[in-house]
């Protein structure tokens, strides 16, 4: 009877005899090196052995022809590892010769030894573990952050470039608009501003002509009549109440006085100086002062010592005695360079017997400098030296102006007194208009004199309008600006500097836009280089990961998966 065969189910799933070997094994990329040592896949001193292998590979690289590594992906800067060694060996093996035992000769033989050293004890897997940890934790995140930062910089630079172009257009439009308002040529600012002063006689003449209006004449007479009534002084004239206004209206304005050529009074020889316009006298004779304080001669008495309220200046007794024998009070020379030994020399100030003064060794020959010479030393306020600018108004042209026009342009105090008279007259008319338009106007008119009674509220308003027009003519912005251009070189320099600064704003913004574009190009080139480097780095990291997984799976007989954030970086 045939034997009976029995089939027995020994297990399924995890209970299978080879179930564990069929399951994949997951290893974190940052722990791969420790895992290899724990599983006895690589020696514990693999770092030292890797250094030896890499040193041999570096020596083999130096034997290669120049530019040989440039034909591989990544170029000359590609890191030297197992995969590059296999690529170099494959390239050299195409033309290399083999020996009797089948090994390569020459440079290919050296690289074959390097590759075999890497493959022994899975040293290339240990090197791959280091590559994964270094690239996954540092290199790839850094390059990605740099790329994101570069993208943000590109966006900012694009915005700055657009804003710079917009600001340049606005600055150019503003400069042209201001030049058009001033009525000057943008190509020659200083000459254009100086040309504006040609309108000054016309403007001042028109302002003076506004003072001859009938309303202004009536206002002056009305003001004089009201003042005479209130002060009970009949016969008051407008010229007594508003002298400058009456003088300008009648054409009695005197030409402006020429400026003093030397503001410092000359010394009279005895050390006295009198300041102009103040009557202040300064006594520089120290010998006379000593005589006045000591109550006696400054000769041998002062040399004997202080007494009777005198002042002891601790002078050399020998010098004082020598000066006393000559019959002249001693003087003191403050010129430190007069004596070679540094002593004090007593010198008479004039002839024998004349009182001695103090030599201050001050040169006053340059006190009469012109305003242009002073500007050359100090410079103008507007950034351009005043010495480089011609006079705003030539003297020959100013001499041709009428005396009234010249006085009102050059004499600021006279012009201010004229405006004060006009303001006083306008204030009077404004008050009279309020009084005549109020409830007590009938009482005011009934109590007024015959010369005042005929003026109604409408007539006073007409007078006020005429006076206000005259005030506006003399206080207009254009007239003030032209007078400042004519009389103040520093104002001209400041105005020219301000306009030149505005003219340079457009070029400044355009330079900023050009710099932003240049910087943008540099960042784009750097971004492209970093992107290429990142692509190569990601590719070589993926190659190291796949090579390690394949080598470990083949040796352990089960699938090995390297897990962790490295997969997201390589994805």
């Amino acid at each position: 009877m045939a034997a009976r065969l029995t089939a027995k189910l020994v297990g399924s799933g995890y209970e299978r005899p080879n179930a564990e070997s069929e399951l994949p094994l997951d290893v974190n990329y940052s722990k791969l090196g420790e895992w290899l040592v724990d599983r006895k896949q690589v020696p514990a001193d693999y770092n030292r052995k890797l250094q030896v292998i890499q040193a041999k590979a570096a020596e083999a690289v130096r034997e290669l022809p120049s530019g040989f590594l440039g034909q591989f992906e990544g170029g000359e800067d590609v890191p030297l590892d197992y995969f590059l060694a296999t690529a170099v060996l494959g390239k050299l093996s195409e033309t290399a010769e083999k020996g009797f035992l089948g090994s390569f000769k020459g440079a290919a033989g050296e690289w074959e030894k390097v590759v075999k050293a890497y493959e022994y004890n899975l040293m290339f897997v240990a090197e791959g573990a280091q590559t994964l940890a270094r690239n996954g934790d540092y290199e790839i995140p850094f390059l990605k952050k740099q790329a994101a930062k570069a993208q943000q910089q590109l966006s900012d630079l694009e915005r700055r470039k657009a804003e710079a172009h917009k600001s340049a257009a606005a600055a150019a439009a503003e400069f042209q608009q201001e030049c058009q308002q001033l009525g000057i040529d943008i190509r020659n600012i200083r000459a254009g501003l100086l040309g504006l002063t040609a309108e000054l006689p016309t403007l001042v003449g028109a302002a003076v002509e506004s003072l001859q209006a009938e309303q202004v004449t009536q206002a002056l007479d009305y003001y004089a009549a009201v003042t005479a009534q209130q002060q009970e002084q009949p016969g008051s004239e407008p010229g007594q109440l508003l002298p400058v206004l009456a003088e300008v209206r009648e054409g009695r304005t005197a030409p402006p006085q020429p400026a003093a050529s030397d503001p410092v009074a000359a010394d009279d020889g005895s050390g006295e100086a009198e300041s102009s316009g103040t009557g202040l006298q300064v006594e520089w004779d120290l010998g006379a002062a000593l005589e006045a304080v000591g109550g006696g001669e400054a000769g041998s008495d002062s040399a004997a010592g202080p007494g009777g309220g005198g002042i002891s200046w601790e002078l050399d007794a020998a010098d004082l005695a020598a000066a006393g024998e000559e019959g002249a009070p001693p003087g003191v020379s403050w010129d430190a360079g007069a004596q070679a030994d540094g002593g004090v020399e007593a010198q008479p100030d004039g002839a024998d017997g004349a009182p001695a003064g103090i030599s201050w060794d001050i040169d006053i020959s340059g006190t009469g400098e012109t305003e242009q010479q002073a500007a050359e030393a100090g410079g103008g306020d507007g950034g351009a030296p005043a010495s480089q600018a011609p006079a705003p108004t030539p003297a020959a042209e100013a001499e041709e102006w009428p005396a009234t026009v010249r006085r009102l342009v050059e004499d600021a105090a006279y012009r201010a007194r004229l405006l004060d008279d006009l303001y006083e007259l306008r204030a009077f008319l404004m008050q009279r208009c309020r009084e005549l338009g109020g409830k007590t106007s009938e009482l005011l008119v009934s109590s007024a004199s015959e010369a005042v009674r005929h003026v109604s509220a409408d007539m006073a308003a007409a007078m006020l309008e005429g006076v206000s027009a005259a005030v506006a003519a003399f206080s207009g912005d254009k007239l003030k600006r032209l007078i400042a251009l004519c009389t103040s070189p520093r104002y001209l320099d400041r105005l020219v500097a301000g306009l030149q600064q505005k003219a340079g704003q457009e070029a400044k913004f355009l330079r900023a836009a050009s710099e932003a574009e240049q910087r943008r190009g540099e960042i784009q080139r750097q971004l492209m280089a970093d992107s290429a480097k990142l692509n190569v780095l990601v590719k070589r990291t993926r190659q190291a990961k796949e090579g390690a997984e394949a080598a470990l799976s083949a040796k352990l007989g089960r699938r090995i998966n390297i897990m962790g954030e490295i997969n997201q970086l390589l994805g």
Side-chain angles (χ1 to χ4, degrees):
M1 181 177 179
R4 301 178 60 181
L5 298 177
T6 305
K8 183 179 179 182
L9 182 62
V10 296
S12 62
Y14 287 108
E15 296 180 356
R16 289 181 301 169
N18 58 347
E20 183 178 356
S21 61
E22 295 179 358
L23 293 177
L25 183 61
D26 297 336
V27 182
N28 190 278
Y29 77 99
S30 60
K31 304 294 183 180
L32 181 58
E34 299 178 5
W35 185 87
L36 291 174
V37 175
D38 293 340
R39 292 297 183 97
K40 307 296 183 181
Q41 301 299 317
V42 297
D45 59 343
Y46 70 90
N47 284 320
R48 182 178 59 81
K49 294 184 178 181
L50 277 177
Q51 292 177 359
V52 174
I53 297 174
Q54 291 170 354
K56 292 182 179 180
E59 293 178 0
V61 167
R62 287 193 290 270
E63 301 296 331
L64 293 175
S66 178
F68 184 83
L69 296 180
Q71 58 185 321
F72 301 103
E73 187 176 10
E76 297 287 342
D77 297 332
V78 65
L80 184 59
D81 58 0
Y82 167 75
F83 300 99
L84 178 61
T86 56
V88 172
L89 177 60
K91 190 68 176 178
L92 293 176
S93 63
E94 296 177 358
T95 57
E97 297 180 358
K98 289 187 177 182
F100 179 74
L101 299 177
S103 60
F104 291 105
K105 296 180 179 181
E110 296 295 329
W111 282 99
E112 184 179 16
K113 294 178 181 179
V114 170
V115 171
K116 289 182 177 179
Y118 267 120
E119 292 176 351
Y120 181 74
N121 287 335
L122 297 179
M123 296 305 299
F124 74 95
V125 177
E127 184 185 53
Q130 293 180 346
T131 301
L132 292 177
R134 181 177 61 253
N135 294 346
D137 292 340
Y138 302 104
E139 299 292 340
I140 295 178
F142 173 75
L143 290 177
K144 288 190 174 182
K145 289 180 180 179
Q146 286 291 102
K149 183 179 179 181
Q151 292 291 346
Q152 182 64 33
Q153 289 179 343
L154 289 176
S155 177
D156 294 341
L157 289 172
E158 188 68 25
R159 175 181 54 81
R160 286 169 52 186
K161 178 183 175 182
E163 292 178 353
H165 281 296
K166 183 178 179 180
S167 300
E174 182 181 358
F175 172 67
Q176 293 179 358
Q177 181 180 1
E178 186 165 355
C179 290
Q180 290 176 359
Q181 290 177 355
L182 293 174
I184 62 175
D185 187 5
I186 62 176
R187 294 171 295 181
N188 195 339
I189 298 175
R190 183 176 291 272
L193 291 175
L194 293 177
L196 294 178
T197 58
E199 305 177 14
L200 198 53
T202 305
L203 290 178
V204 178
V208 173
E209 186 67 25
S210 66
L211 300 178
Q212 306 296 335
E214 183 65 24
Q215 294 89 343
V216 179
T217 303
Q218 295 176 0
L220 286 171
D221 295 338
Y222 184 44
Y223 182 46
V226 172
T227 303
Q229 176 187 348
Q230 293 180 353
Q231 297 181 357
E232 297 180 356
Q233 294 179 358
S236 298
E237 296 294 335
Q240 300 175 356
L241 302 175
L242 305 173
V244 178
L245 178 57
E247 183 179 303
V248 174
R249 279 172 47 82
E250 296 170 5
R252 296 184 288 104
T253 304
Q257 296 296 329
S261 60
D262 189 0
V264 180
D267 193 355
D268 59 359
S270 62
E272 297 180 359
E274 183 176 355
S275 62
S276 175
T278 62
L280 177 62
Q281 295 184 357
V282 181
E283 179 64 49
W284 295 101
D285 191 357
L286 183 57
L290 289 175
E291 182 178 356
V293 174
E297 296 182 356
S300 59
D301 295 341
S302 62
I311 301 176
S312 175
W313 295 92
E314 297 181 1
L315 301 177
D316 191 357
D319 293 341
L320 293 175
E325 292 176 358
E326 295 178 2
V332 180
S333 174
W334 296 95
D335 189 359
Q339 293 290 337
D341 57 355
V344 179
E345 179 184 1
Q347 296 180 353
D349 188 49
D352 294 339
I358 299 176
S359 174
W360 295 95
D361 195 18
I362 299 176
D363 185 12
I364 60 173
S365 60
T367 56
E369 290 183 343
T370 61
E371 182 179 357
Q372 181 177 0
Q373 292 172 344
E376 288 177 357
D381 292 344
S387 60
Q388 298 178 1
T393 304
E397 182 180 354
E399 289 293 338
E400 299 176 358
W401 293 356
T404 303
V405 174
R406 289 183 56 197
R407 183 72 178 276
L408 290 174
V409 170
E410 299 178 9
D411 194 342
Y414 188 79
R415 188 168 62 251
R417 293 200 303 270
L418 175 60
L419 285 174
D420 289 342
D421 290 349
L422 289 174
Y423 290 145
E424 181 179 348
L425 184 58
R426 186 177 65 174
F428 163 74
L429 292 174
M430 293 173 63
Q431 180 64 26
R432 296 301 292 183
C433 287
R434 284 194 293 268
E435 292 175 352
L436 293 175
K439 297 180 179 179
T440 60
S441 59
E442 297 180 359
L443 179 60
L444 182 64
V445 172
S446 62
S447 62
S449 61
E450 292 295 334
V452 180
R453 189 178 303 171
H454 70 282
V455 178
S456 62
D458 294 338
M459 295 178 63
M463 297 178 193
L464 178 61
E465 183 179 356
V467 174
S468 298
V471 171
F474 277 99
S475 59
D477 293 338
K478 184 176 181 180
L479 181 60
K480 292 180 180 179
R481 182 171 61 250
L482 293 182
I483 290 176
L485 288 174
C486 182
T487 58
S488 176
R490 289 188 175 184
Y491 175 78
L492 174 64
D493 292 337
R494 285 197 299 269
L495 190 57
V496 170
L499 291 175
Q500 288 177 347
Q501 182 180 8
K502 290 185 178 180
Q505 289 294 323
E506 180 184 7
K508 178 181 178 181
F509 287 123
L510 289 178
R511 285 196 302 270
S514 177
E515 292 174 359
E517 179 63 23
Q518 182 179 0
R519 178 60 179 164
R520 184 171 176 270
E522 294 175 358
I523 293 179
Q524 282 184 336
R525 289 190 292 271
Q526 184 64 34
L527 180 62
M528 293 176 61
D530 290 345
S531 298
K533 184 177 180 181
L534 178 62
N535 293 333
V536 173
L537 192 62
V538 169
K539 184 175 181 180
R540 297 187 67 84
T541 304
R542 184 181 293 110
Q543 185 180 21
K545 174 179 176 293
E546 294 175 352
E549 289 177 343
L552 291 175
S553 298
K555 185 175 182 180
L556 298 177
R558 58 189 301 182
R559 180 168 181 77
I560 304 298
N561 295 327
I562 297 177
M563 309 298 291
E565 296 179 357
I566 190 68
N567 294 321
Q568 299 178 0
L569 296 176
L570 299 179

